[in-house]
Amino acid sequence: MTRTPYFSGNEKPILEVEGLTVDIDVPAGKLHAVSDVDLHVGRGETLCIVGESGCGKTMTALGVMGLTPRRATIGARRLVLEGQDLLAMSKAERSALRGDRMAMIFQDPMTSLNPVYTVGNQMEEIYRHHGKGGHREARERAEYLLEKVGITAAKGRLGQYPHQLSGGLRQRVMIAMTLMCEPALIIADEPTTALDVTIQAQILRLLADLQKEYRMALVLITHDLGVVARMADRVIVMYAGQVVETGTAEEVFTAPMHPYTQGLLDCIPIPGKTLRGAKLGSIPGIVPSLIGDLTGCQFGNRCSYAFAACAAAPVALRKHGKGRGCRCLLDTAPASASVHAKPVGAAP
Amino acid sequence: MTRFLIHRALIAVLVAITVSVIGFSLLRLSGDLATELAGDTAKPEQIAQVAHLYGLDRPLYAQYFDWAGKALHGDLGRSLFSNEPVSLLIGQRIGVTVQVSFMALIFGLVISIPLGVLAATRPNSWVDRMALSFAVFGQAVPGFWLGLILIIVFGVMLRWLPISGSDHFSNFILPMVTLGMSVMPAFMRLTRTGMLDALDSDYIRMARAKGLSTSSILFKHALRNAILPVVSLTAVSLGFLLGGSVIVESVFALNGIGFLAYQSILRTDFPVVQSIVVFVSVAYIALTLISDLVNAYLDPRIRLG
Ligand SMILES: Nc1ncnc2c1ncn2[C@@H]1O[C@H](COP(=O)(O)OP(=O)(O)OP(=O)(O)O)[C@@H](O)[C@H]1O
Ligand code: SF4
Ligand SMILES: [Mg+2]
């Protein structure tokens, strides 16, 4: 798979996020689900957000979309889509962009489609709501896109209800639906996690192909480093609500800087390199509570390099050249896991 | 779908037969009808004569088939009190009962569904709390008490509405409110819970991500799903209203079948009582069947299996 190169030169990024924060009111206090996250995605670029369960990937996406739950408060220094400042917009103006310029694909295709309306109805309404055309154009476009995402007998599918489709088909429908208005940005939150392994690969390939064809910015959320290796131009590694490392896919895989990223990469078995029957690496310890103020490095309790200063104060994300960053007090990366000289996982 | 239909219809028929058997037997077993009919001072010969006259000395199953066969042809026997055909007595009064039941049902729905939706969109707000208190009030207040209060306030003190009779539309307003209040709480709660569930669902999050308008999200996407259990309850409630308006019909002297049942019980008029019991039960069964069909129509997962 050839990749459109990392956005460079003069083109403005499609999405610019700086200092995104999502706090959720919980009985025990304020839960810092997302703290000070920056992200930029360019046209035709794929940004993967990776991290273990509960690290704030979904909340980051919902924060960008403006869909955080009722009890959440969201803040940002900068939130710009295609040059438009989302922070300066009214609710209605932002809502008008959702589904039109920015779209989202959710994890569970089984429950994300409304069970009582047909596929056609749900696809057409987004098109018509955003004033792209009337009933006929909507239907034609829906049929065209269903074929585009690899659904045969598309016309007949339009009249079917979600429960009549398999999980893989439903995820294809969701993808087709997000394309109805040709958005500039698609955020896909673990779009393949709920699917069979064989289907996963098909859906990822479909997403990659469509992204290339329409030159969309794609934010792909996953906890699977294999998916990252296959899809990402650039990577953001999240831990406990923070970005702990950013860089191109190549940089992050070949020279991971943050101890957490190194730990994650050590968890992946590599055919031919990992001894058969060898114990897989895993990072010992548990994720810290996200409730209450930060004290030191969030990863401190699990980090084997931790030293006194790590616990003293919150650690800042430090820049290491363009688009490269790491939230660690160690100056140079500790000896990186050499087995990861190449990105893992073969490209499909 | 056709299989589903046949299945449900078959079940409905079986239930109707069972109910008619039970209804028939209960009344016969509840006491010695011949003794009751013949009066306190009757001699044994007279009781036997009465029993023979009404066929009460024959085996129970023979009596049942005799009665059921005639009932199927619309012959429900004659009233022991007025000697009029039972079908005529019921026919004269059913209109009143149906009218008050439907009015109460619509009143209950019109109040409870918007209230439930409103409460669900603002959980734990003052609107939500008010709605829930209103439901608790509706549930706790006995129908006859509410009926009497309404009569005192609107009939006697304010003189806005008539307090008894059933000839004019205005006669039905107070009974409608009284009965409507009794079914409102369940509708309200069910709508509220259904809406809360729906609003919390993935497909609503998806609808928001599509940028749809609030009204489309609330009414097209959420309410359409939340309303499914309310539809089932509507049929059940209508059955309950048809059979359960005895007290309210009595309080407002509405001449419906509830009032007729009440009078007939006092007069030991067993053909009438029995017919009303079976009639209401069959109506109930028919309504349940209709609600199944409406649900199947509204929910493609049932309709298309
Ligand atoms: N509705 C909510 N109420 C309270 N806390 C929440 C809520 N939703 C998420 N959280 C918390 O916010 C944090 C971030 O959650 P988020 O869903 O963004 O994680 P994630 O990285 O997407 O995880 P996963 O891989 O499991 O999807 C978690 O600690 C989670 O417990
Ligand atoms: S700052 Fe300290 S504790 Fe945190 S990752 Fe770096 S070395 Fe480990
Ligand atoms: Mg998630």
Side-chain angles (χ1 to χ4, degrees), chain B residues 262-274:
Chain B
Y262 169 73
Q263 290 171 318
S264 304
I265 290 168
L266 294 184
R267 297 167 185 154
T268 350
D269 196 346
F270 80 83
V272 178
V273 177
Q274 184 176 330

Side-chain angles (χ1 to χ4, degrees), chain A residues 8 55 69 72 80 96 113 138 152 236 247 270 273 332 346:
Chain A
S8 55
C55 70
V80 175
L113 291 167
T152 50
I236 283 182
I270 295 170
K273 295 244 167 120
T332 47

Side-chain angles (χ1 to χ4, degrees), chain A residues 76-111:
Chain A
R77 285 194 304 277
R78 190 170 161 77
L79 196 54
V80 175
L81 178 75
E82 293 186 290
Q84 302 185 72
D85 185 1
L86 301 187
L87 295 175
M89 285 187 182
S90 69
K91 265 189 169 175
E93 287 169 326
R94 268 189 93 169
S95 168
L97 291 181
R98 275 201 292 274
D100 187 357
R101 304 314 306 146
M102 56 188 337
M104 187 157 172
I105 301 169
F106 293 96
Q107 174 171 346
D108 197 347
M110 304 311 267
T111 51

Side-chain angles (χ1 to χ4, degrees), chain A residues 257-260 296-307 309-311 315 326-330 334:
Chain A
M257 297 178 79
H258 197 280
Y260 176 65
C297 172
Q298 288 281 68
F299 190 55
N301 65 333
R302 296 169 79 183
C303 180
S304 46
Y305 305 102
F307 51 100
C310 300
V315 180
C326 175
R327 196 184 289 273
C328 177
L329 291 177
L330 292 179

